[in-house]
Amino acid sequence: MRWENLTAESAESEHQRPADAALFGADAVTTRTFDTPEFRGITFHEVRARSILNRVPGASRMPFEWTVNPYRGCSHACVYCFARRTHSYLDLDTGIGFDTQIVVKVNAPELLRRELGSRRWRGEHIAMGTNVDCYQRAEGRYRLMPGILAALRDHANPFSILTKGTLILRDLDLLKQAAEVTDVGVSVSVGFTDPVLWRTVEPGTPAPERRLEVVRTLGEHGIGCGVLMAPVIPFLSDHPAQLRATVRAIAAAGATSVTPLVLHLRPGAREWFMSWLATHHPYLTGRYERLYAEGAYAPKWYQRRITRQVHDLAREYGIGPTRAGLPRRIGPPETAGPRTPETGTSGPTQLTLI
């Protein structure tokens, strides 16, 4: 693995540093395995990162400029995950290697606290969970997020979290404390509620109903939570009845918003997803090749159709769209005053979080 060659330039999304400065060196890597059921078959590469605040490339379509990613690789093993390609920068496999070779930035909390205290830092919004999930299974052992949230709270720095992990409820008190001093946004990703599809396409994630229970629990504690309905998978989760069932479940969980995103297939993820498709749904491979013939994104007409359908259903069930990563001011339940409606989108939007 070419750890010492992993520079800010090669990583694309890491905090800007001189092009010849590695983010971590080979002498800083400790490799571990744990013989427990939840970690069997997974290898962890513990590193001491040299930077944790990552600037999003200027050409990105993301509604934020800075991210924090304490992990690389993800045991959620979502077959469509766009972040798979980033494992190739470490000479790691973008398929099963992405699912089982997890890089852990063990010094992330202390490093973030130091960088937030720098005179150069201007307190911009920080998004988490936009590359790989910061509440994947590894977080249960390494517990990096409590320190990260505490640093953000102590510096009153605005942030947002996108996750499929139920482990976020462990840090509920820290989220509430942070929300008292800064803008906090939380979104849970639930693209569909079909249990058969979930077991094959997102095998390492909590079930959709458990994620929706996170939405419900956060709301009960005064933390409004939106749902990123992503990805909507063409021909597998996009039937009108499926869309209705998903939006209805999201509304029943008390989500403050629902934002649909159609599956997109970047290099790295595309090959892995198409291999999965050929195994599980071979009759669809030709349709996918035609639908994604122009690149990573489904055609605009398809995106617009899905977005319109979901927005119509959201209005029917009393919830509305919001932009992914948009922070919200969250007050304690007993003191929160009237809230204004979230800013909606005037037309279909295709972001690239999932």
Side-chain angles (χ1 to χ4, degrees), residues 1-14 23-24 72 82-94 131 266-267:
M1 292 175 288
R2 49 190 173 102
W3 303 102
E4 56 278 299
N5 293 332
L6 181 65
T7 66
E9 182 177 329
S10 65
E12 293 186 342
S13 63
E14 299 290 347
L23 296 171
F24 39 80
R72 297 177 73 111
F82 80 92
R84 288 183 175 278
R85 186 181 182 185
T86 63
H87 245 39
S88 66
Y89 307 146
L90 301 174
D91 279 350
L92 290 171
D93 175 59
T94 60
N131 188 39
R266 294 185 187 177

Side-chain angles (χ1 to χ4, degrees), residues 7-208:
T7 66
E9 182 177 329
S10 65
E12 293 186 342
S13 63
E14 299 290 347
H15 184 41
Q16 289 181 336
R17 296 172 58 85
D20 59 350
L23 296 171
F24 39 80
D27 59 347
V29 180
T30 301
T31 298
R32 301 184 192 276
T33 59
F34 302 105
D35 190 22
T36 55
E38 67 270 30
F39 297 125
R40 190 161 294 133
I42 298 177
T43 300
F44 296 96
H45 305 285
E46 300 174 357
V47 304
R48 296 193 62 81
R50 295 176 180 172
S51 179
I52 198 66
L53 280 168
N54 314 318
R55 182 184 284 279
V56 177
S60 171
R61 302 159 74 182
M62 292 295 94
F64 42 79
E65 294 186 12
W66 295 91
T67 65
V68 165
N69 298 303
Y71 302 98
R72 297 177 73 111
C74 186
S75 59
H76 283 346
C78 301
V79 297
Y80 52 75
C81 183
F82 80 92
R84 288 183 175 278
R85 186 181 182 185
T86 63
H87 245 39
S88 66
Y89 307 146
L90 301 174
D91 279 350
L92 290 171
D93 175 59
T94 60
I96 194 66
F98 180 85
D99 304 336
T100 62
Q101 302 283 328
I102 311 299
V103 178
V104 184
K105 302 174 186 178
V106 293
N107 62 332
E110 63 194 75
L111 190 55
L112 178 62
R113 185 174 291 276
R114 185 171 76 233
E115 293 185 2
L116 292 178
S118 168
R119 292 182 180 180
R120 295 184 298 169
W121 179 246
R122 305 180 66 85
E124 291 106 323
H125 176 88
I126 294 173
M128 292 175 284
T130 60
N131 188 39
V132 300
D133 204 317
C134 51
Y135 282 107
Q136 60 177 285
R137 272 179 283 166
E139 174 60 18
R141 173 172 289 272
Y142 286 97
R143 299 182 60 87
L144 300 181
M145 286 301 293
I148 288 171
L149 294 177
L152 291 164
R153 174 201 62 194
D154 294 346
H155 287 273
N157 202 102
F159 66 90
S160 60
I161 297 172
L162 172 65
T163 186
K164 289 185 176 80
T166 57
L167 193 57
I168 190 174
L169 294 180
R170 179 202 63 191
D171 297 338
L172 182 56
D173 287 343
L174 280 167
L175 290 170
K176 292 166 67 175
Q177 293 165 16
E180 293 175 0
V181 297
T182 191
D183 289 328
V184 174
V186 181
S187 293
V188 170
S189 176
V190 182
F192 45 84
T193 56
D194 181 341
V196 176
L197 182 61
W198 158 66
R199 288 189 183 96
T200 58
V201 80
E202 299 172 342
T205 66

